[in-house]
Amino acid sequence: MIEFRYDRAADVGSALALMSPGAKYLAGGTNLVDLMRETVEAPRALVDVSQLSGAIEEQPDGGLRIGAGVKNTAVAAHPLVRARYPLLSRAILAGASAQIRNMASVGGNILQRTRCYYFYDVAARCNKRVPGSGCDAIDGFNRIHAILGASPDCVATHPSDMCVALAALDADVEIEGAGGKRSIRLTDLLRLPGGRPDIETELQPGELITAVIVPPLAFAANHSTYRKVRDRASYAFALVSVAAAIDLDGGTIRDVRIALGGVAHKPWRALAAEEALQGQAASPALFRAAAEAELRDAAPLRDNGFKVELAKRTIVAVLGELTGEAA
Ligand SMILES: Cc1cc2nc3c(=O)[nH]c(=O)nc-3n(C[C@H](O)[C@H](O)[C@H](O)COP(=O)(O)OP(=O)(O)OC[C@H]3O[C@@H](n4cnc5c(N)ncnc54)[C@H](O)[C@@H]3O)c2cc1C
Ligand code: SF4
């Protein structure tokens, strides 16, 4: 039996005070408890933060502050999220199952760990689980792995759907720790693997995510969506996903946001595609050129070359849907 201490935090202050070396925060437990059961994670103590920061508040600029403890179901169902950020609501509803979304929190969704099979198999070599041990995915079965931004040390993907929408929306993450409060762009909080795949975020030891700030993006209300391509219609992680919002002036693209899921170690903001689209007349040929630009540096592995074309086609299809310029 593996022993660990359990404490429930009443507020942010007590959560920080209860944190200690070797301890972990516990929110819905839908990922952490699984990992403890598989002995991938063995925290000495759990600080339960599931009672914290469960509010969704409108900001003076029209954006939203979503507490880290808000359940995924509550975010997806919130009237302001559905009205202003339909891509965020759709992304969350495309993930997991209703039961899991009822337990899963915003903070835990951001920090959920990769679904790489070898990471979960403690008999396999995995640099993320045991730094310096090697990576069995690189020469193994790597159908679900990364095609962008990977390294010779790790080719895992980030599994979250919610985070792909948040990346497209330029969301910031509020953090509190011993050094005080700070805020960081979600896409900067989550790291590419480089030579240290075990270091997945820019969080300092003991830091707590307290909220996500979604800035206003008026055109997302009517022209945004999330499309997830997966092996089964439900209850499966993305092979490739696309979150997009577009602002059209007549047939010309005034502004556009695109992020990809299932392709990299973190939600992948498609800046090259956005640049190719900006100020241009919307057309299927333009969408394909933008997708080609984004995937130019893709580096597929033995089993996941299909993701390159799949990502391109999904970008083209989503832009076609949002503009009425389908191929
Ligand atoms: C069968 C199954 C299918 C799934 N399918 C999908 C899917 O299709 N798409 C998808 O996006 N997700 C999917 N998920 C993952 C699910 O969304 C995550 O497990 C969930 O979002 C994690 O949230 P949680 O609150 O349960 O986190 P926990 O499991 O409690 O914690 C996860 C991690 O976050 C840390 N943490 C939690 N809160 C904080 C905080 N406030 N500050 C700092 N650290 C914190 C914990 O220490 C831990 O390391 C699936 C999960 C399962 C089990
Ligand atoms: S891809 Fe990353 S998570 Fe998977 S086995 Fe290799 S090092 Fe581990």
Side-chain angles (χ1 to χ4, degrees):
M1 192 162 74
I2 300 169
E3 291 195 358
F4 59 88
R5 184 186 159 92
Y6 170 87
D7 289 294
R8 177 172 285 184
D11 51 32
V12 171
S14 69
L16 296 177
L18 287 164
M19 208 1 106
S20 58
K24 292 213 75 162
Y25 292 120
L26 176 76
T30 60
N31 189 218
L32 182 54
V33 172
D34 272 0
L35 290 166
M36 290 170 68
R37 199 169 42 224
E38 300 293 335
T39 67
V40 174
E41 298 224 40
R44 287 173 34 181
L46 293 178
V47 178
D48 187 333
V49 294
S50 60
Q51 307 301 306
L52 307 188
S53 50
I56 299 180
E57 297 158 320
E58 192 171 6
Q59 302 289 93
D61 64 1
L64 292 181
R65 181 181 189 276
I66 304 174
V70 181
K71 300 299 186 190
N72 285 185
T73 300
V75 181
H78 196 280
L80 288 179
V81 175
R82 291 175 60 181
R84 295 182 188 172
Y85 310 104
L87 74 171
L88 176 57
S89 188
R90 288 196 186 121
I92 292 171
L93 292 175
S97 63
Q99 291 92 334
I100 292 169
R101 294 193 296 269
N102 287 343
M103 288 295 290
S105 66
V106 167
N109 192 304
I110 294 169
L111 296 181
Q112 64 174 296
R113 306 198 68 191
T114 183
R115 291 284 158 168
C116 171
Y117 326 110
Y118 302 98
F119 174 70
Y120 275 78
D121 176 1
V122 291
R125 295 181 307 150
C126 172
N127 288 321
K128 188 182 281 300
R129 189 169 22 76
V130 182
S133 63
C135 170
D136 274 343
I138 287 174
D139 296 318
F141 182 54
N142 43 39
R143 183 170 179 275
I144 65 168
H145 290 76
I147 54 171
L148 291 166
S151 80
D153 290 316
C154 180
V155 292
T157 55
H158 193 273
S160 168
D161 292 296
M162 182 188 83
C163 288
V164 183
L166 291 176
L169 290 166
D170 275 338
D172 289 322
V173 180
E174 271 184 17
I175 295 163
E176 206 159 328
K181 295 182 188 179
R182 66 188 179 102
S183 169
I184 182 171
R185 186 63 50 90
L186 172 81
T187 46
D188 294 333
L189 173 73
L190 300 173
R191 290 164 47 108
L192 291 177
R196 291 299 304 270
D198 55 312
I199 305 175
E200 296 172 336
T201 73
E202 297 295 336
L203 286 178
Q204 296 302 311
E207 277 190 320
L208 178 72
I209 293 179
T210 51
V212 168
I213 307 293
V214 190
L217 190 68
F219 62 85
N222 295 318
H223 295 102
S224 76
T225 196
Y226 182 75
R227 189 177 293 197
K228 177 176 179 179
V229 185
R230 49 190 153 173
D231 281 328
R232 294 185 305 276
S234 71
Y235 213 43
F237 289 89
L239 292 168
V240 164
S241 66
V242 175
I246 195 159
D247 186 18
L248 280 181
D249 179 9
T252 301
I253 298 168
R254 192 159 36 199
D255 202 350
V256 61
R257 304 285 187 82
I258 305 173
L260 309 179
V263 295
H265 201 254
K266 65 181 196 174
W268 187 264
R269 184 68 183 266
L271 295 173
E274 290 178 11
E275 192 183 331
L277 293 164
Q278 204 80 36
Q280 304 296 315
S283 74
L286 176 71
F287 303 156
R288 180 73 197 187
E292 295 284 353
E294 193 57 52
L295 275 299
R296 188 165 295 134
D297 295 331
L301 302 158
R302 189 192 66 195
D303 303 316
N304 69 359
F306 74 95
K307 279 193 179 186
V308 179
E309 182 60 20
L310 185 60
K312 290 177 187 173
R313 290 188 189 196
T314 311
I315 292 171
V316 171
V318 165
L319 293 173
E321 177 191 329
L322 290 176
T323 60
E325 294 283 343

